[in-house]
Amino acid sequence: MTIPIDEDRRTTTTDLTRSAERSMTRLLRPHLRSFAAVVILQVVGALAGLAPLLAVVELGRTLLAPGPIDHDHVWTVVIGGAAGLLVRLLFTAASSGIGHVLDSRVQLTFRRRLAASLGRVPIGWFSRRRTGELAKVVGEDVSAVHPFIAHAPGELVAAFVVPLVSLVYLFTVDWRLTLITLIPVVLAMALVPLLMLPARTREQEAYDAAMGRIADSVVEFVQGISVVKAFGGGERAHRTFLTATDDFVSVFSRWVRGMSVIAAGMQLALSPPFVLLVVLIGGTALITNGGLPPVDLLPFLLLGLGLTAPVAALGHGFDDLQSAGRAVGRIKDVLAVRPLPEPAHPRPPRGHRVELRGVRFGYDADREVLRGIDLVLEPGTVTAIVGPSGGGKSTLVRLLPRFFDPTHGSVTLGGVDLREIDSRELYRQVSFVFQDVRLLCASVADNIALAVPRAGRDDVVRAARLAGIHDRVLRLPRGYDTVLGEEARLSGGEAQRISVARALLADAPVLVLDEATSFADPQTEQAVRQALATLGDDRTVVVIAHRLETVADADTVVVLENGAIVERGRPADLLTRDGRFAAFWRSRQSAEIRTHGDVPRGDEPR
């Protein structure tokens, strides 16, 4: 049975993009008042900042005017300029403070939303992403939003409000010299489109990609340092990092060469010496021709610099704004990843019989990993899945806890398609133990009780005993209260036993073990097998295994090759057929003889 898909409701890339944009809008909507406060305070501060300049202009006119000096007027002008300066300091400081607090809140909201979104996306999506890329989105890209939130509102306000008010005032003094004063601004603004050429955009994208490759190489090198050192691959791994850094230097050099001429031109046009030179040349020409009183040159010399300074500041922050825009785009891409849909009307499973019907699945549209899987997992049985690496074993068992949905066909639990079961109910029904275990930076007891937070200490200890990890926990500095990662570290086999204890405590009706004892010694694996035998007769257990003891204890063996089931049945029956399973059995037996010197006892299939 396949769940039908309404073609009219199929999610397209455009729909996902629009959904992500709506998500960003919803994220920012609660902060609109704070944004408004930042802008209003900055507007008042920017306008008040003109008061000292206008005060200097008025003082010049008063002091240079013929006749006696009006001392009261002079002091009024001085006090007005000082008051304007004080208002500017207070209001811009308040705007900056609120902006930075707002930035912290927005970044926290982004990270929480990213964490929630990543918690809902299919596990298969992670398998096609590098750790460094996701770390960059959640870490660096969210931090890169800082200029857009904390600085851009103030800079944009200053860049438009201050020049606009200054222009209005200067036009009332002399429109001709006002146009001359605008020449540096026009020259600088004429260079801005050059910053947005496709070549510059490609250089920026290449820069971001190079930074991502550096992050990936660092993460991979650190995570695999033990393997690298053990097999003498340190030089090769180090060379990968050096290649990434060399690539970044090359990309960065091209970007700088393309930007340096434009940036230098803008800085020259907006520099105070150039602005003063333009104003002095134009003003001198007008004064000598009798078209401008000498005293009226003063406001242009002062406000001309104020006219260009905000634009220059905006130009300096242009790269940060572009980086913030690209970072927001990558955040939107992650938020646009479609989560596995929840059923509108969930149905509870009736029992815990698992059935896969005509299941096909592929991580990519052009390559199927599973091809037409039909399989029934009965309650009270242990099913072992064996086969060569890359045959689709892990992909098959990860369909059971619905880490992703099949492309075709269905997976049912208790007669109900997994897509019709509420995810919380499904996780109560299916427990999963990974081969690659990740423990939290929390106490041993909290790690074991992860799925059952209210479990008592006696239950936690019982699960640890069944998993064969209790004695090791007692040797830790504070026993079950020891914080892993800070006070103690566990080996790979010990971490797997903690994970097994976690699954035993969860006591789910369906238990999936993805090579869950691959790092464990034979004695520990024997203890885990005995623990599984005590769980009850009605539990559905699926295990990916390579060790003969685990396979021999299974009720059913499924041999998977190239995404298809090639053999299935009781272990003893499959051995008599002398097919794929028999070949697997002989190869594993030979490997264990070479390792242990003899065939382990108790490995004969039933």
Side-chain angles (χ1 to χ4, degrees), residues 362-532:
Y363 296 100
D364 301 310
D366 57 346
R367 189 176 72 88
E368 281 191 330
V369 179
L370 299 176
R371 300 181 289 109
I373 301 295
D374 292 300
L375 182 63
V376 177
L377 309 174
E378 296 288 355
T381 65
V382 177
T383 301
I385 300 178
V386 302
S389 298
K393 301 186 297 297
S394 293
T395 301
L396 174 61
V397 298
R398 292 185 182 209
L399 291 177
L400 304 186
R402 204 192 172 201
F403 288 163
F404 30 64
D405 287 331
T407 308
H408 299 285
S410 66
V411 181
T412 63
L413 173 63
V416 180
D417 193 294
L418 298 188
R419 287 167 286 198
E420 299 180 74
I421 302 175
D422 181 77
S423 59
R424 289 169 294 186
E425 175 64 23
L426 178 61
Y427 297 147
R428 284 193 290 265
Q429 298 290 327
V430 181
S431 183
F432 197 99
V433 181
F434 293 96
Q435 177 186 15
D436 185 16
V437 179
R438 300 293 184 185
L439 299 180
L440 302 180
C441 185
S443 69
V444 175
D446 289 340
N447 270 281
I448 295 176
L450 184 63
V452 191
R454 298 180 180 178
R457 180 58 58 92
D458 292 341
D459 294 330
V460 171
V461 172
R462 177 179 175 273
R465 287 183 182 275
L466 290 174
I469 192 64
H470 173 70
D471 293 339
R472 175 69 179 98
V473 173
L474 293 183
R475 294 195 299 271
L476 295 176
R478 294 195 295 125
Y480 283 89
D481 294 320
T482 302
V483 177
L484 299 178
E486 292 183 356
E487 299 175 300
R489 295 186 182 277
L490 300 181
S491 67
E494 291 166 346
Q496 282 191 325
R497 280 177 274 169
I498 292 289
S499 182
V500 171
R502 179 188 298 163
L504 296 176
L505 181 62
D507 197 28
V510 179
L511 179 60
V512 182
L513 304 172
D514 184 0
E515 299 188 74
T517 56
S518 58
F519 296 135
D521 54 74
Q523 292 78 16
T524 299
E525 185 179 22
Q526 178 68 20
V528 172
R529 288 163 53 206
Q530 292 175 352
L532 295 178

Side-chain angles (χ1 to χ4, degrees), residues 102-382:
L102 174 62
D103 170 60
S104 299
R105 291 176 177 173
V106 170
Q107 288 194 35
L108 178 61
T109 303
F110 278 177
R111 288 196 169 96
R112 284 177 172 173
R113 183 59 184 270
L114 283 169
S117 179
L118 291 173
R120 294 192 300 268
V121 302
I123 296 295
W125 183 83
F126 289 97
S127 66
R128 302 190 298 275
R129 300 296 186 283
R130 292 174 176 253
T131 303
E133 292 178 359
L134 289 178
K136 186 176 186 299
V137 172
V138 179
E140 294 181 19
D141 286 344
V142 173
S143 298
V145 178
H146 170 79
F148 179 76
I149 303 295
H151 300 289
E155 291 178 355
L156 288 172
V157 168
F160 288 99
V161 173
V162 173
L164 181 62
V165 175
S166 299
L167 281 176
V168 172
Y169 175 77
L170 292 179
F171 266 111
T172 62
V173 178
D174 188 276
W175 66 271
R176 296 164 299 176
L177 190 53
T178 301
L179 295 178
I180 294 174
T181 306
L182 284 174
I183 290 176
V185 176
V186 173
L187 291 176
M189 297 303 293
L191 296 175
V192 170
L194 298 179
L195 298 174
M196 304 183 207
L197 291 175
R200 301 287 84 78
T201 302
R202 289 193 296 269
E203 289 170 356
Q204 291 280 1
E205 292 173 350
Y207 172 87
D208 291 333
M211 284 293 294
R213 287 191 292 271
I214 289 179
D216 291 336
S217 63
V218 170
V219 171
E220 291 173 0
F221 181 77
V222 172
Q223 289 182 342
I225 188 65
S226 58
V227 177
V228 169
K229 292 176 72 68
F231 291 93
E235 182 179 350
R236 182 172 61 255
H238 189 242
R239 191 184 309 120
T240 301
F241 173 73
L242 291 178
T243 300
T245 55
D246 291 341
D247 181 44
F248 169 76
V249 170
S250 176
V251 170
F252 183 74
S253 298
R254 290 197 303 271
W255 178 66
V256 169
R257 284 195 298 269
M259 295 287 293
S260 58
V261 175
I262 302 172
M266 293 184 67
Q267 290 180 359
L268 176 62
L270 298 173
S271 63
F274 184 74
V275 174
L276 290 176
L277 179 63
V278 172
V279 173
L280 286 174
I281 291 175
T284 302
L286 291 173
I287 291 171
T288 54
N289 292 331
L292 181 72
V295 71
D296 284 347
L297 180 60
L298 187 59
F300 291 93
L301 294 175
L302 295 174
L303 294 181
L305 297 178
L307 199 67
T308 59
V311 180
L314 184 61
H316 291 313
F318 187 77
D319 293 338
D320 290 335
L321 291 176
Q322 280 194 320
S323 298
R326 294 193 302 275
V328 169
R330 288 187 291 270
I331 293 172
K332 286 165 59 177
D333 290 341
V334 173
L335 294 178
V337 178
R338 184 182 182 181
L340 291 176
E342 290 287 337
H345 303 287
R347 298 168 55 197
R350 299 181 296 275
H352 44 277
R353 182 176 187 265
V354 178
E355 184 174 358
L356 293 85
R357 306 174 186 170
V359 169
R360 293 180 176 271
F361 177 79
Y363 296 100
D364 301 310
D366 57 346
R367 189 176 72 88
E368 281 191 330
V369 179
L370 299 176
R371 300 181 289 109
I373 301 295
D374 292 300
L375 182 63
V376 177
L377 309 174
E378 296 288 355
T381 65
V382 177

